[in-house]
Amino acid sequence: MPPDSCLSEGELDRLGAGADATDAERLHLEACEHCRARVAGAKQDAAFLTRVRPLASAVLAPEGAPRVPGYRISGVVSAGTQGTVYRAMQESTSRTVAIKFVRTGDSHRQRMRAEREVEIAARLHHPNIVTVFESRALPGGSIVVVMEFVDGVPLDRFEPMATDRLRALLHVFTRVCEAIHYAHLNGVIHRDLKPDNILVTREGHPVVLDFGIAKSRGSHATITGEFAGTPAYASPEQASGKPDEVDGLSDVYALGVMLYQMACGSPPYELSGSIMEMARVIVEREPVPPRRANPGVAPDLEAIILRALRKRKEERYPSAAALGRDVERFLAGQPVEARSGSGWYLLRKALAMNARRIAWVGALGAVLALAGVLVAIGLANSAALKRRVAQQRELARAEQIQSAAVTEILREVLPATDPEHPVIGAAVSAGLRRLYFRLETGGLAFDPALDQATRRIWGSVYTSIGAGKAAQLAEYAEDSLRNGLIRLHIEHPEGDHPAIAGATFELAGILLVRGRLAEAEAAAKDAIAIYARLGESRGLPAARCEGLLARVLLAAKRWSEARDQAREAADLFTNLAGRDSDLGRASMEAAEAQALLMLGRAVDAEPLARRALARQFALLSPADPEQLESLVLCADIAGALPQGTLARELEAAWGPGDLTARVRADARTLAAAELRTPGTPQPRARYDALRRALALARNIAGDNDAVSVAFLASIIRAADDATLSVEWAKAAHEAADLLARLDDDPLAQLVCLEQAAALYALTGFEPESCALAARAVDILSSIPRHAIDPLVLANARRRAGWYLTIARRYDEAAPVLDQAAREIEAQVGTEHYLSAFARALIAFNQAGRGDAPGALARTERAWAFVRRDPTVPTDTLYHIGLMHGHLLVGSGRFEEGHDVLVEVWQRLRYDAGELRWAWRDLLIDDLLRCARALGDADDEARWQSEADKVRAGRTAELGTPAPPPSPHDAPDIAGEP
Amino acid sequence: MTSPRPSSPTRTTTQLLDALRDPRDEASWASIDARFRPVVQGLAGRMGLNYSEAEEAAQQTLAEFVRAYRDNRYDRASGRLSSWILGIARNTILGQLKRRGAAEILGEDERFSDAHMRSAWTEERDLAVLGEALSMLRDDSGVDDRTLLAFELTGLRGVPATEAASQCGMTVDQVYVAKSRITRRLRDLVRELTDAFEEDR
């Protein structure tokens, strides 16, 4: 440097950092005061930078990060082919967010992904789907997408804290299924589901990300010809490059691959080589059976996985929700649908639907849901019904193909008739339409017998649904049957074949429903003629054709001919044995009675109609359409004969008044409820109608226990639907008494008793509750140990002890609870929520006996345990939290009690209806006490207003302004202020 | 509805506290919130809470602070505001850890000692201040992007000036000028912000 010029910035920097000055610099500095001051400043700068540099890495945006005004980027979350994701803080709110950055240089495809992601995510609002806040184009053309930051790890790296790892993973999985189902309902298919796109927080809360290649209804965003998705999780239809076939079932497949990996720790098949080679494996190779990959996988879980991974998407679960529900069933130890046979499928479906409805009513949540199912099973097991069940099984065996066909139909239709579905009618139509196209595109052609049976059963299902249902569907059904007939004629050119007669009979049924009576009559007569030529004119199928002809004549108002035809058909049925012919005979007696009534011969009609209804009460389930039809007929006859037997019997059940109109109204209510038509009448009306029908059935079918049991099962469900807890309790009580009188299956009695005891307890009928609980305990002691699953026994014992506790019969409850806890721990170990629950109950009882401090220590442990374990059912968590909080409050530990109870309340808010009113009272009472004790007026006002809301809600539900006599009042604790 | 913008970041905590008496002054509340939230959240993270727990801890701490402040429970004579908030944060964080079942470790772990928490708090405060200062520099229209980048590379990331010059399209001398100029601005800002943070008497 020239000695007379000042130091450059570079030289200053070097000297500031502590380097030695050169001779020239030294000479200059000696002469220049200005530069000496500059060097001193540079040293301070250097010292400052040395101090902040270690901090800078935490606050500086990573190199290459975009500058997004309003956000401070602090790190990279992930970097991949779909752009880099940064962690950032939104400056205005200090909220942490994730920012996905798609560079200008990135492909058009990636930009489209980003844009689509924003567009799609904006439509989805679900706790398990990532929230997208905004997207922005940056100067230069890059795009950023700002979304919720999820502090989690990809699904396949998630390590649950719970002891049973797989169970916890499966719980997470069911939440993912719910989220995906929600997206599907909103018309969005993810198409790239894989563990990397599902982040799971430490608490086990999954969040689905990256809807970048999702397909949405109405968009044509698919990039044709390109492979969408990740090979390892691609479905066969994705791998074979058929974008038009990709739908929600492709996501179900991807979920299946993930489920496989969860259970087995390895992929279902190895993929390697070129894309083409991988695609071939996906399309052709069957997965390694899960139990071969990991022998520890339960057979039920294996069945679920394999069903989700079917190559043909029609054979997979019909929705992500259905897959999730089956996994839930597996977790609850219930039979899974993936392994269901056809006949049981129907029964279980009905029971499962019932259980779901019970679940939200259940004071003890899942406990009662299970009991609800067991009641239904228990009733079905009762000796009086066993004969009928046996007959049905006989039939099912004889008609295996038919059953398989029913399954095919049910697979399409029943999932869609899920009561949770918003528009049931539309969904049923859609299901039947899909079935039609499947049939007509040869979907079942691999098995001609199955194809034919499906067509026929569809026809008869349609016929039984009745007229007026979506004309287009009737057309499909008719078309499908006619096409089937053409194929049959080609196969059997001789023309006379039972299959042709059967299909012609179904066709006649459809034509009758469609009101094309002349064609229906011709078809029925054709079928009758074929049976005659085959020499089978006295068999059951021919009798059915004769009966159908009678129905056609009735519809045509040719009363005299109808009467004669009905009598002829009834004779044919009379000569045949079995339930079906008994039913056919009842149906024909009713038809004859109808014709007679129209001919003005009500007196002759009455005994026939009465006999038909009595038979239908005994043989059909309550509110079966045929039974209802006869009921209406009887009401019409009673109207015509006000002094007749029927009028008297109907009046005994319905009371005085316009009988015909009221019976008809009830029949409509029951029919609508049975078919689950939209706008179904009030559940209360259904309950009342069933009660009246039972009264009539008891009168005219004689003291038939089987009828009573069947009705009570329906009444229990109806009371449950209508949230009529007391009625529910009474019906369960009645059922228990009936079963006891029949000396029937103790397990069935037990579940009825338990249900009644629980509901009495919660509605304030303490003596009844205790008496039934005590009876339940007696029965428990009498059941031989080998005859019952020990855990079922232990849980039943636990509940019995609980009801005694609620009624403050602490000393009786204590040994029962102690034994239950010992048995439960022997089955599941001490580190299980059931054990924690049992211990908490013992503690509650202990508090009731005056040992509050000891009790608190126990509930504290139970509470800590269940909060740690994400697999604990929510209702268990609530109840333990409530007990613990209540004991804390009772011991004057208001602040802690407040924290626990507020947590319960906050969790509860998202599950409205999970807790019965009585529990809400307890919760809010306690919170009010906390607020008062802590002198927090705001809080007090808040809980007072919640208490008012609860009171109003209860009044709306139960119709009683006064609360029930506090069965919930937990033990009073000594020393309580 | 738009959320209130925080008022000037260099208003002292005392000024903000005075303004906080007026419940309608949401901007002051937003400033207090913006100032302390990242610090509490960062502290909670250091103490072993995960992201959402730490977020919740910060929320609870600040809610408790404002409630207590409006109830006149804060006595300025008894200590600095930051010490007071640190006290609330400490209780909140330990409460969460306890609830998670980690009660047994709390007594033994040195991490939870008062001294350690205080020094962690200071580090978090310095981080927050530095982040805020850098953000103010970025928003300063008098500082262009290239100058800022040259400073970041040489001053904070330790990149040699020659390399930074080629990355920023500047001469080496320009890089040195940028580094020196921005360092001085940053130093001033950090000092002002730290003073504003701690000045509450």
Side-chain angles (χ1 to χ4, degrees):
Chain A
M1 60 167 288
D4 51 349
S5 63
C6 284
L7 298 174
S8 72
E9 290 290 341
E11 286 159 342
L12 272 180
D13 188 76
R14 194 169 47 75
L15 294 176
D20 290 335
T22 61
D23 290 345
E25 285 164 352
R26 209 167 22 245
L27 273 175
H28 176 77
L29 281 172
E30 279 167 12
C32 180
E33 193 181 343
H34 172 61
C35 281
R36 282 202 301 279
R38 289 172 69 209
V39 169
K43 283 188 171 159
Q44 284 176 0
D45 284 354
F48 169 74
L49 289 176
T50 308
R51 191 164 61 81
V52 297
R53 205 169 281 140
L55 300 176
S57 60
V59 293
L60 272 187
E63 282 188 73
R67 275 190 54 195
V68 188
Y71 295 92
R72 199 184 293 168
I73 293 183
S74 59
V76 176
V77 176
S78 66
T81 50
Q82 309 308 332
T84 306
V85 179
Y86 297 98
R87 179 178 170 146
M89 188 181 80
Q90 187 176 30
E91 287 169 345
S92 62
T93 60
S94 301
R95 168 170 72 179
T96 304
V97 296
I99 294 188
K100 184 189 272 195
F101 179 48
V102 184
R103 258 174 257 278
T104 332
D106 289 341
S107 70
H108 172 63
R109 190 169 165 220
Q110 284 172 353
R111 295 172 59 81
M112 273 180 61
R113 262 184 94 116
E115 283 162 14
R116 194 151 355 114
E117 178 157 22
V118 176
E119 172 211 316
I120 284 177
R123 275 198 261 152
L124 303 176
H125 303 282
H126 190 278
N128 301 109
I129 293 178
V130 71
T131 307
V132 171
F133 300 123
E134 63 164 329
S135 74
R136 284 193 204 171
L138 298 182
S142 313
I143 295 177
V144 288
V145 181
V146 182
M147 57 192 127
E148 168 192 7
F149 175 75
V150 181
D151 187 20
V153 294
L155 181 61
D156 54 352
R157 297 219 318 266
F158 173 63
E159 274 307 322
M161 285 183 281
T163 39
D164 190 339
R165 184 175 171 279
L166 178 61
R167 221 179 145 74
L169 286 175
L170 292 177
H171 273 282
V172 172
F173 182 79
T174 59
R175 308 265 291 274
V176 175
C177 289
E178 280 170 26
I180 296 302
H181 183 60
Y182 166 85
H184 290 171
L185 287 179
N186 282 281
V188 174
I189 302 151
H190 191 291
R191 299 200 303 172
D192 192 17
L193 280 175
K194 56 183 173 184
D196 279 348
N197 283 339
I198 298 165
L199 292 184
V200 188
T201 67
R202 189 155 73 188
E203 297 77 20
H205 177 83
V207 178
V208 181
L209 318 173
D210 203 353
F211 281 80
I213 64 161
K215 182 161 120 176
S216 66
R217 203 164 34 213
S219 88
H220 299 284
T222 309
I223 300 140
T224 319
E226 284 188 63
F227 177 77
T230 305
Y233 301 90
S235 62
E237 59 273 17
Q238 279 169 299
S240 53
K242 297 176 185 162
D244 289 347
E245 286 188 19
V246 173
D247 58 18
L249 298 178
S250 312
D251 283 348
V252 170
Y253 187 90
L255 287 167
V257 176
M258 286 187 264
L259 188 57
Y260 189 106
Q261 286 177 316
M262 271 180 187
C264 305
S266 55
Y269 27 65
E270 287 302 333
L271 292 179
S272 58
S274 67
I275 286 276
M276 291 299 289
E277 285 166 277
M278 288 196 271
R280 200 170 45 76
V281 170
I282 295 169
V283 172
E284 292 173 5
R285 192 175 305 161
E286 289 299 330
V288 177
R291 282 161 60 76
R292 196 183 307 156
N294 171 9
V297 174
D300 277 4
L301 184 57
E302 177 177 69
I304 293 175
I305 295 170
L306 290 177
R307 179 154 178 215
L309 288 179
R310 293 272 161 78
K311 301 289 180 201
R312 289 165 48 109
K313 61 181 187 178
E314 299 81 0
E315 294 172 5
R316 290 174 211 150
Y317 285 95
S319 66
L323 168 59
R325 280 201 295 267
D326 227 13
V327 173
E328 275 170 18
R329 272 183 217 107
F330 168 72
L331 287 170
Q334 294 167 358
V336 300
E337 301 214 331
R339 300 185 83 196
S340 66
S342 56
W344 285 104
Y345 180 85
L346 232 188
L347 175 64
R348 256 204 315 273
K349 185 83 191 174
L351 293 178
M353 288 199 287
N354 191 42
R356 266 209 304 285
R357 276 178 284 122
I358 290 176
W360 75 264
V361 181
L364 304 174
V367 173
L368 280 194
L370 182 62
V373 174
L374 288 176
V375 163
I377 293 173
L379 292 176
N381 278 346
S382 82
L385 289 184
K386 273 178 188 150
R387 237 184 356 266
R388 271 165 60 179
V389 172
Q391 281 171 352
Q392 280 170 354
R393 280 195 195 144
E394 201 70 36
L395 266 175
R397 270 199 292 278
E399 298 180 324
Q400 264 183 355
I401 287 185
Q402 187 145 334
S403 302
V406 168
T407 309
E408 289 301 322
I409 290 179
L410 295 180
R411 190 172 287 163
E412 296 292 349
V413 178
L414 278 191
T417 54
D418 188 320
E420 285 163 0
H421 199 285
V423 193
I424 297 161
V428 174
S429 305
L432 283 174
R433 233 172 265 134
R434 276 203 303 280
L435 176 65
Y436 170 77
F437 287 114
R438 201 165 146 206
L439 282 169
E440 296 315 319
T441 51
L444 299 180
F446 63 91
D447 185 343
L450 177 61
D451 181 283
Q452 285 297 338
T454 307
R455 289 168 191 278
R456 282 187 49 193
I457 288 164
W458 183 19
S460 61
V461 164
Y462 185 82
T463 309
S464 69
I465 288 174
K469 306 270 169 201
Q472 195 190 15
L473 286 185
E475 202 179 309
Y476 283 157
E478 184 187 331
D479 198 29
S480 170
L481 277 169
R482 286 195 187 277
N483 291 342
L485 262 173
I486 293 170
R487 288 186 202 172
L488 283 172
H489 276 291
I490 294 169
E491 266 175 59
H492 308 285
E494 73 283 6
D496 288 343
H497 190 275
I500 294 179
T504 310
F505 164 75
E506 299 294 353
L507 180 62
I510 287 275
L511 290 166
L512 168 61
V513 170
R514 303 196 69 199
R516 282 155 52 192
L517 300 180
E519 287 171 71
E521 184 179 351
K525 284 181 174 165
D526 273 355
I528 292 169
I530 296 172
Y531 284 123
R533 287 198 291 277
L534 289 168
E536 293 175 14
S537 57
R538 304 204 69 76
L540 187 62
R544 282 193 178 130
C545 291
E546 299 280 0
L548 181 62
L549 182 56
R551 293 260 161 216
V552 174
L553 293 168
L554 267 186
K557 304 188 176 164
R558 287 149 62 183
W559 309 121
S560 302
E561 286 168 79
R563 176 203 56 199
D564 296 343
Q565 179 64 33
R567 188 173 297 160
E568 197 176 316
D571 287 345
L572 278 177
F573 282 119
T574 309
N575 291 327
L576 294 162
R579 176 177 175 273
D580 275 17
S581 44
D582 284 353
L583 276 174
R585 183 176 163 201
S587 167
M588 284 303 102
E589 283 171 343
E592 189 181 346
Q594 175 85 56
L596 287 167
L597 179 66
M598 300 316 290
L599 290 167
R601 290 168 54 191
V603 178
D604 296 330
E606 185 175 58
L608 279 172
R610 193 174 174 280
R611 202 159 61 217
L613 184 59
R615 216 185 285 276
Q616 285 165 339
F617 272 139
L619 294 175
L620 294 171
S621 57
D624 182 278
E626 272 201 77
Q627 195 185 83
L628 294 177
E629 210 175 299
S630 300
L631 180 62
V632 168
L633 172 65
C634 288
D636 288 345
I637 293 172
L641 294 175
Q643 305 304 320
T645 316
L646 274 173
R648 203 181 60 245
E649 286 168 335
L650 285 169
E651 198 173 291
W654 268 263
D658 184 353
L659 268 182
T660 312
R662 293 174 57 212
V663 173
R664 275 177 175 273
D666 276 359
R668 268 198 306 276
T669 300
L670 293 175
E674 205 66 15
L675 290 176
R676 303 186 184 289
T677 39
T680 296
Q682 291 302 312
R684 167 93 219 193
R686 177 168 171 241
Y687 171 82
D688 290 338
L690 277 170
R691 273 283 177 197
R692 289 191 279 265
L694 173 59
L696 177 71
R698 281 184 170 152
N699 215 335
I700 77 170
D703 202 5
N704 186 329
D705 292 324
V707 175
S708 298
V709 168
F711 262 98
L712 282 172
S714 290
I715 285 170
I716 287 171
R717 279 174 220 157
D720 154 23
D721 276 348
T723 57
L724 298 168
S725 307
V726 183
E727 275 73 12
W728 183 358
K730 284 180 188 159
H733 191 169
E734 249 176 273
D737 286 348
L738 188 63
L739 293 174
R741 190 155 57 76
L742 295 170
D743 199 18
D744 207 317
D745 186 355
L747 195 55
Q749 284 183 53
L750 187 67
V751 287
C752 291
L753 283 172
E754 272 200 42
Q755 204 162 53
L759 289 156
Y760 277 139
L762 289 155
T763 44
F765 290 79
E766 286 173 23
E768 285 83 353
S769 167
C770 281
L772 296 189
R775 254 170 77 185
V777 176
D778 284 348
I779 291 180
L780 280 174
S781 327
S782 75
I783 296 177
R785 293 199 164 266
H786 62 268
I788 183 169
D789 177 348
L791 193 57
V792 170
L793 187 73
N795 278 325
R797 205 186 296 284
R798 184 196 70 197
R799 291 190 290 272
W802 174 232
Y803 307 138
L804 290 167
T805 304
I806 292 176
R808 299 196 187 80
R809 287 162 65 169
Y810 304 120
D811 292 337
E812 284 165 77
V816 179
L817 287 173
D818 280 338
Q819 191 176 350
R822 277 198 306 277
E823 287 171 355
I824 288 170
E825 286 178 0
Q827 290 304 313
V828 298
T830 50
E831 293 301 301
H832 191 281
Y833 70 86
L834 284 174
S835 305
F837 200 3
R839 282 195 302 272
L841 293 177
I842 290 177
F844 210 55
N845 185 284
Q846 192 179 1
R849 286 181 291 151
D851 178 11
L856 257 174
R858 282 180 153 176
T859 53
E860 171 121 48
R861 274 199 299 279
W863 176 236
F865 180 85
V866 294
R867 287 174 82 250
R868 265 204 310 273
D869 183 352
T871 65
V872 173
T874 42
D875 63 299
T876 305
L877 197 76
Y878 301 152
H879 288 101
I880 292 179
L882 276 167
M883 286 191 268
H884 182 50
H886 184 71
L887 292 185
L888 283 169
V889 172
S891 308
R893 288 162 62 181
F894 296 108
E895 277 191 54
E896 293 160 83
H898 174 267
D899 287 352
V900 171
L901 294 169
V902 165
E903 184 174 340
V904 172
W905 176 260
Q906 278 169 347
R907 287 173 186 262
L908 200 62
R909 274 191 311 169
Y910 302 105
D911 285 307
E914 279 285 348
L915 216 56
R916 289 298 288 183
W917 300 112
W919 284 100
R920 285 177 186 243
D921 280 342
L922 175 65
L923 176 60
I924 292 174
D925 279 357
D926 280 346
L927 281 165
L928 262 172
R929 282 174 62 190
C930 288
R932 286 186 194 123
L934 297 171
D936 188 336
D938 286 350
D939 225 26
E940 186 179 342
R942 177 186 167 200
W943 294 117
Q944 191 55 57
S945 113
E946 292 292 350
D948 293 343
K949 274 190 238 161
V950 168
R951 200 169 303 121
R954 182 184 35 225
T955 309
E957 184 192 307
L958 303 178
T960 48
S966 52
H968 57 278
D969 235 354
D972 297 324
I973 298 161
E976 185 177 314
Chain B
M1 201 182 87
T2 54
S3 55
R5 294 281 307 158
S7 57
S8 160
T10 50
R11 275 176 80 192
T12 66
T13 299
T14 305
Q15 290 163 338
L16 292 173
L17 281 175
D18 288 340
L20 212 55
R21 297 260 174 238
D22 176 1
R24 287 163 305 181
D25 188 351
E26 291 192 29
S28 295
W29 161 242
S31 292
I32 289 270
D33 190 90
R35 187 164 289 175
F36 287 100
R37 186 180 292 271
V39 180
V40 178
Q41 201 167 322
L43 178 72
R46 282 174 190 242
M47 296 301 131
L49 297 190
N50 68 18
Y51 168 71
S52 52
E53 289 169 330
E55 214 178 26
E56 197 187 319
Q59 174 60 29
Q60 276 184 25
T61 302
L62 289 162
E64 171 57 25
F65 154 68
V66 83
R67 200 162 43 226
Y69 186 75
R70 287 193 174 145
D71 290 352
N72 278 326
R73 274 189 271 145
Y74 169 51
D75 174 13
R76 281 197 205 179
S78 66
R80 289 188 154 197
L81 178 72
S82 54
S83 309
W84 192 47
I85 294 187
L86 170 60
I88 302 177
R90 184 174 190 278
N91 286 345
T92 311
I93 294 167
L94 295 186
Q96 287 204 352
L97 285 167
K98 256 186 224 161
R99 238 170 288 159
R100 202 210 274 163
E104 61 282 3
I105 60 160
L106 295 184
E108 299 154 19
D109 198 322
E110 202 268 330
R111 257 190 318 162
F112 304 106
S113 70
D114 278 354
H116 186 270
M117 270 196 157
R118 194 169 299 279
S119 92
W121 169 274
T122 306
E123 279 177 38
E124 285 297 329
R125 182 206 62 197
D126 290 348
L127 266 179
V129 161
L130 182 63
E132 179 70 44
L134 284 170
S135 158
M136 286 166 76
L137 277 177
R138 284 190 205 108
D139 293 345
D140 184 342
S141 55
V143 180
D144 68 78
D145 283 0
R146 275 199 318 173
T147 306
L148 199 61
L149 180 61
F151 161 74
E152 268 188 26
L153 290 172
T154 52
L156 299 178
R157 295 191 200 272
V159 174
T162 43
E163 202 179 300
S166 76
Q167 272 195 44
C168 303
M170 296 164 98
T171 66
V172 175
D173 262 356
Q174 283 171 325
V175 168
Y176 279 125
V177 171
K179 181 183 174 189
S180 139
R181 193 180 130 223
I182 302 296
T183 302
R184 226 150 281 172
R185 281 277 286 135
L186 183 66
R187 234 170 81 192
D188 291 345
L189 278 173
V190 164
R191 195 180 49 244
E192 273 176 49
L193 288 169
T194 310
D195 288 350
F197 201 107
E198 294 298 345
E199 199 285 295
D200 59 353
R201 284 176 188 269

